[in-house]
Amino acid sequence: MAETSATTGTGEPASRPRKSSWKYIGPGIVVAATGVGAGDLVATLIAGSKFGYTLMWAAVIGCVVKISLAEAAGRWHLATGRTLFDGWRSLGPWTTVYFAVYVVLWGFIYGATAMSSSALPIVALFPDGPGLKFWAIVTGLIGLAFVWFNRYAVFEKVMTVLIGIMFVVVVYVAARVVPDVGASFAGLLPVLPDGSLLYTLGLIGGVGGTITMAAYGYWVNAKGWSNSSWMKVMRLDNRVAYITTGVFVVAMLIVGAELLHASQVALTSGDRGLIDLGKVLEDRFGAGTAKLFLVGFFATSFSSLIGVWHGVSLMFADFVERFRAPAAGAAKTEEHEGPDVAERRQRSLPFRAYLLWLTFPPMTLLWLDEPFGLVIAYGVLGAFFMPFLALTLLWLLNSSRTPGEWRNGWVSNGMLALSGLLFVVLCVQQVRDLPW
C-alpha cells in the first residue's frame, strides 16, 4: 500500500506505510470494550434462550457489519485529516442541529443507565453493603475522576485490562456450559425460525453498535495515528476489535442456548437480566462461578461507562470547537488531527463540561422515574443515530471530500448501504416499540 503522491490527502509529507503489527493495537480494544454493554449481552442471551444456536449466523454477519462501519469512520479520519463531526458539518447545518440535540439528551439518560449498570453487580457481590443508588454515584464519580485526570495512554491500558476480564469470564462461562459444537456450526446456515426476525436484526445491529463507533476515529487520532500511512494498522486494529466482539456474542449465545433454552429460564430484560443469570449459574455451578461472572459483569458495564465518558466527551469538545469556528472552518481544518490535538481537547472546557453533564445531572434520575416525554425523545434520537452514522459515512466516503485513493470501493459501499438499510429497519421497529 504505497503512497501515490508526494503528499498525503491531509497535506502532510507522505510517509512510508506502517506495517500492520499487533504491538500497535489499542483503539479497537477501546471501542470494543465500550460498545458491548450489559444490555447487549442480555439481548444476546435472550436470543439464545429462545432460538438456541439457530441465529449464530446473525452474530457473524453483525461482526462483519461493525468492522465495515468502524473501518469507514477510521478511514475518514486518516485519509482526510479531519474529524467525523467536521465531515458531518460539511453536509449542512442539519447535522449540527441533530447532533446537538442528540448528544445532550442522550448523555443525560445514558449517564444514569451506565451508573446503574455498573452498580448492579457490586450490589449483588456485596448484598449487605450500601444500596444501588450509593454504588451508582460512586462508580460515576470514579469514572469522572479517572477520565478527568488521565490521558489516552492510561485510559487505553485500563480498558485493555477490563476487556481482558470480560473476555476470560465470558469464554469461561461458555466453556462451563459445554457448547454443542455440531449445533454451533449448523447455526451458521442462515435460517429464520418463526418469530425470530426482530431478534435476528437485533443481533446483527445491536451488540457494539452505539455512538462509540463514531468515537473510534477520535481514539485513532489520540493514539497518534494521524494520516493514511497508518491505514493498514487501523484496519488490523479494527478487525481484532470486532472479532473480539463476535466472540462475546457467540459465547453469550452459547450460554443462552445451553443454560437457558432447555430449561426455559426467562431473564429480565435490560441489565438486571445478568443478575438473573448469576443466580442460575450459582444454582448450576456454585457460588465461585457466579461471583466470577459478576466480576465480568462489572468489567463490561464499567468499561462502557468510562469509554463513553472519554470518547463522547472528545466528540462533544470537537463539536463545540467547530461550532465556534467560522463557517469556512468546515471546509478544512488548519490544525492537523493527532495526539496533540486530542490532548488539548481533553484539557478543554467543553470536554470537562460534558464529563460533568454525563455525571451529575443524571444522578437525579436515580431517584425519579425517567420522565415520559424524555424517554420518548431519547428513544427516537437513539434509534436514528446508527442509520445517521452509516448513511453519512456512505455520503462522505464517495464524495470529493475524501482523497480519491481512499474513497469507497464496491465492497465498502455494499456493506455501508446494507448497514444503513438494516439500521433504518431497526430504527422503525424501535420507534414503534416506544411507550407512546
Side-chain angles (χ1 to χ4, degrees), residues 16 47 57 93 109 125 159 214 221 228 232 298 306 337 398 403:
R16 294 181 63 83
W57 63 273
I109 302 290
L125 282 167
M159 292 293 275
N221 290 152
S228 58
K232 276 188 176 180
F298 174 76
I306 61 174
E337 293 297 324
N398 282 290

Side-chain angles (χ1 to χ4, degrees), residues 84-425:
L84 188 51
F85 183 77
D86 195 15
W88 285 339
R89 192 182 178 201
S90 74
L91 300 179
W94 66 275
T95 58
T96 300
V97 173
Y98 172 79
F99 185 79
V101 176
Y102 174 82
V103 79
V104 171
L105 185 56
W106 181 87
F108 182 52
I109 302 290
Y110 181 82
T113 303
M115 288 186 275
S116 296
S117 180
S118 297
L120 277 170
I122 302 177
V123 173
L125 282 167
F126 305 104
D128 298 325
L132 181 73
K133 293 182 182 68
F134 173 85
W135 285 118
I137 291 170
V138 168
T139 56
L141 293 176
I142 290 173
L144 170 69
F146 173 75
V147 174
W148 189 290
F149 293 109
N150 286 294
R151 294 294 170 257
Y152 175 79
V154 177
F155 166 72
E156 183 187 288
K157 287 182 174 64
V158 171
M159 292 293 275
T160 302
V161 170
L162 290 172
I163 201 171
I165 294 170
M166 292 163 58
F167 190 89
V168 169
V169 169
V170 168
V171 172
Y172 169 75
V173 172
R176 285 298 304 267
V177 302
V178 190
D180 184 331
V181 177
S184 298
F185 280 105
L188 295 176
L189 295 174
V191 174
L192 274 178
D194 290 342
S196 68
L197 177 61
L198 292 180
Y199 291 96
T200 302
L201 292 173
L203 270 180
I204 295 173
V207 181
T210 69
I211 191 174
T212 53
M213 295 192 71
Y216 179 57
Y218 291 83
W219 285 323
V220 162
N221 290 152
K223 179 74 170 176
W225 306 347
S226 55
N227 57 46
S228 58
S229 68
W230 290 98
M231 203 69 76
K232 276 188 176 180
V233 175
M234 181 275 292
R235 284 169 168 162
L236 174 66
D237 175 75
N238 174 47
R239 287 166 189 156
V240 170
Y242 282 98
I243 288 171
T244 303
T245 301
V247 171
F248 287 142
V249 179
V250 168
M252 294 310 278
L253 264 178
I254 289 170
V255 173
E258 293 292 343
L259 199 60
L260 307 176
H261 183 58
S263 56
Q264 295 297 301
V265 174
L267 297 182
T268 306
S269 62
D271 302 347
R272 292 182 181 274
L274 293 185
I275 299 295
D276 297 344
L277 179 61
K279 294 173 182 175
V280 173
L281 289 170
E282 184 171 5
D283 292 341
R284 178 85 173 266
F285 301 114
T289 297
K291 289 185 184 300
L292 181 64
F293 174 75
L294 289 171
V295 170
F297 178 2
F298 174 76
T300 301
S301 298
F302 192 66
S303 64
S304 293
L305 186 152
I306 61 174
V308 166
W309 264 228
H310 188 277
V312 183
S313 296
L314 274 178
M315 292 183 70
F316 182 77
D318 180 42
F319 160 72
V320 173
E321 184 178 305
R322 309 291 167 187
F323 187 74
R324 286 176 174 170
K332 199 76 174 177
T333 55
E334 293 181 5
E335 190 173 18
H336 183 69
E337 293 297 324
D340 294 340
V341 177
E343 285 205 15
R344 175 178 57 74
R345 284 201 184 109
Q346 195 169 335
R347 293 192 298 269
S348 70
L349 178 61
F351 180 93
R352 292 181 169 177
Y354 193 74
L355 263 181
L356 295 173
W357 173 253
L358 281 167
T359 307
F360 290 106
M363 288 179 182
T364 60
L365 296 182
L366 298 174
W367 277 270
L368 301 172
D369 290 331
E370 295 167 4
F372 182 77
L374 200 60
V375 172
I376 298 296
Y378 170 75
V380 171
L381 284 170
F384 275 93
F385 185 79
M386 291 305 286
F388 170 79
L389 176 62
L391 297 175
T392 53
L393 281 171
L394 192 64
W395 188 348
L396 290 169
L397 292 168
N398 282 290
S399 73
S400 59
R401 298 171 182 84
T402 304
E405 66 175 306
W406 300 117
R407 290 177 197 163
N408 279 355
W410 67 271
V411 174
S412 295
N413 277 327
M415 291 306 301
L416 286 177
L418 176 65
S419 301
L421 179 62
L422 166 70
F423 290 123
V424 166
V425 173

